[in-house]
Amino acid sequence: MLDESLLDVPEALTRADRRGLLRAAAEAGARVRTAVRHSAEAGLTDLKPDGRPRAILIAGPGTAAACVADLLGGLAGGGCPVVRLAPTGVAPAAGALRWALPGWVGPVDLLLIATPDGSEPGLSLLAEQAYRRGCTVVAVAPARSPLAEGVDGSHGLTVPMATSPYGAYEGAHDETTRLAASYEARRVEDEAAPGAPGTLWALLVPLLVLLDRTGLITAPVDTLQKVADRLDSVAERCGPAITTYSNPAKTLAVELSDALPLIWTEGQSAGAAGRRFAATLAELAGHAALAAELPEALPAHGALLAGNPTGGEDTDDFFRDRVDDAAALRARVVLLRDRPADAGGLTATPAARELAHGHDVALSELEPESTEELEALAELIAVTDFAAVYLALASGDRS
């Protein structure tokens, strides 16, 4: 059950947030700026590629890397195939995961590696395999990690992952102190879970800079600075000091607390944001959700709207004591759009509303204020990240 009273007491939220999730969500804009700076220092902004790659392959562990691949695939559109290399292994541990290149990969392809860990031997082996085939490798990983050293040794390019800008050793000049800061930042991020807000932007931004140079994606530095500003704006609107009544993220968390979210999305960017929202709800809050794109979502989830997906026991005992009955978990539609519903063009939004209302199912709608693609995407991800964090904290998850 959600403790709604906790949401409007910032001090209580801070005490409950042992994994630093709220800070991670709030610092997303700072992560973008740091990632842009690291990209420039690594030379990405000065690259002059000869042409576009035949295909882009993306490898990395966890939901953040999966979301990076999903977002880049959507943003690249039909300009180039984007293939995520899913890991195999006997356990989701760094030492157990392995990745393999498809047989067709060669010198005209580009391998991107994104990891908040950098200790995975499977990714180092993948980089070596790509080097032997003449495939270009670019990695975003923690500085001085085994993967970073391995990629550099294989004539690839590594961009240091942007860590928390609020670390105790920020700006230190002593090498030992900086190294301690690096490991401390990684430890904090591990405790906050690999899918914690902020990690996504630290991995994604350098790859956006790179693909902007290839012409596959339009993401110049000034646009990324606007993305950072947009993330800061969302953090102000959705921060713990803002009351539930005027806080879209807290409001959404309350609405989803006793519901099975059916996340319906419209637009390429919104589709990736919706899938990330479902994954983040599961990983951070332990809350199940289903995501699908309109208009296919309507027939796919239609049967779930007609009844009670899960809930209390089905019994005919009218006189039973209902105090101990499990609360019914009814479906609730969350409609995410990457553009206003009245922006023109074909839209399935009216049909979605009609279907939900026809089954007396509650509906939450979220659309960005910005009409720019990357800014709109950032806004949707930031609001839903905050909502997942609030749901995790107010539902009694203190681990």
Side-chain angles (χ1 to χ4, degrees), residues 261-341:
L262 303 181
I263 303 170
W264 295 353
T265 64
E266 189 165 56
Q268 189 72 46
S269 297
R275 288 185 288 273
R276 171 176 169 79
F277 188 27
T280 305
L281 283 172
E283 184 170 3
L284 299 186
H287 200 92
L290 299 175
E293 298 186 31
L294 292 173
E296 288 87 353
L298 303 183
H301 292 170
L304 292 174
L305 303 182
N308 179 24
T310 63
E313 296 180 5
D314 184 13
T315 176
D316 294 328
D317 184 4
F318 178 81
F319 298 100
R320 73 187 186 279
D321 186 355
R322 291 174 169 78
V323 174
D324 296 328
D325 280 5
L329 186 65
R330 291 189 57 82
R332 184 183 187 98
V333 173
V334 180
L335 184 57
L336 300 184
R337 294 185 297 271
D338 59 6
R339 61 186 182 278

Side-chain angles (χ1 to χ4, degrees), residues 264-267 269-271 294 334-342 347-350 352-353 363-370 376-377 380:
W264 295 353
T265 64
E266 189 165 56
S269 297
L294 292 173
V334 180
L335 184 57
L336 300 184
R337 294 185 297 271
D338 59 6
R339 61 186 182 278
D342 57 359
T347 175
T349 294
R353 292 170 177 161
L363 176 71
S364 302
E365 297 192 40
L366 184 64
E367 64 183 35
E369 296 177 353
S370 175
L377 174 63
L380 288 178

Side-chain angles (χ1 to χ4, degrees), residues 45 67 90 95 134 136 211 214 237 245 249 253 265 304 313 336 349 351-352 366 385:
T45 54
C67 186
V90 297
T136 302
L211 296 186
T214 67
R237 290 192 291 123
Y245 178 76
T265 64
L304 292 174
E313 296 180 5
L336 300 184
T349 294
L366 184 64
D385 276 355

Side-chain angles (χ1 to χ4, degrees), residues 20 82 91 162 177 181 190-191 203 205 215 219 235 262 272 293 296 300-301 309 320 345 393 399:
V82 178
T177 306
D190 287 343
E191 290 181 356
L203 298 176
V205 169
L262 303 181
E293 298 186 31
E296 288 87 353
H301 292 170
R320 73 187 186 279
L393 297 181
S399 59

Side-chain angles (χ1 to χ4, degrees), residues 146-221:
L147 175 64
E149 295 174 356
V151 170
D152 291 340
S154 299
H155 304 284
L157 176 63
T158 301
V159 181
M161 176 182 165
T163 55
S164 171
Y166 307 120
Y169 304 100
E170 186 72 13
H173 297 288
D174 176 72
E175 179 64 24
T176 302
T177 306
R178 285 201 303 267
L179 190 59
S182 173
Y183 280 108
E184 175 66 13
R186 288 172 60 188
R187 182 189 67 78
V188 171
E189 286 173 359
D190 287 343
E191 290 181 356
T199 302
L200 168 66
W201 297 105
L203 298 176
L204 176 65
V205 169
L207 303 182
L208 289 176
V209 173
L210 171 64
L211 296 186
D212 174 75
R213 301 302 300 168
T214 67
L216 283 171
I217 291 175
T218 303
V221 169

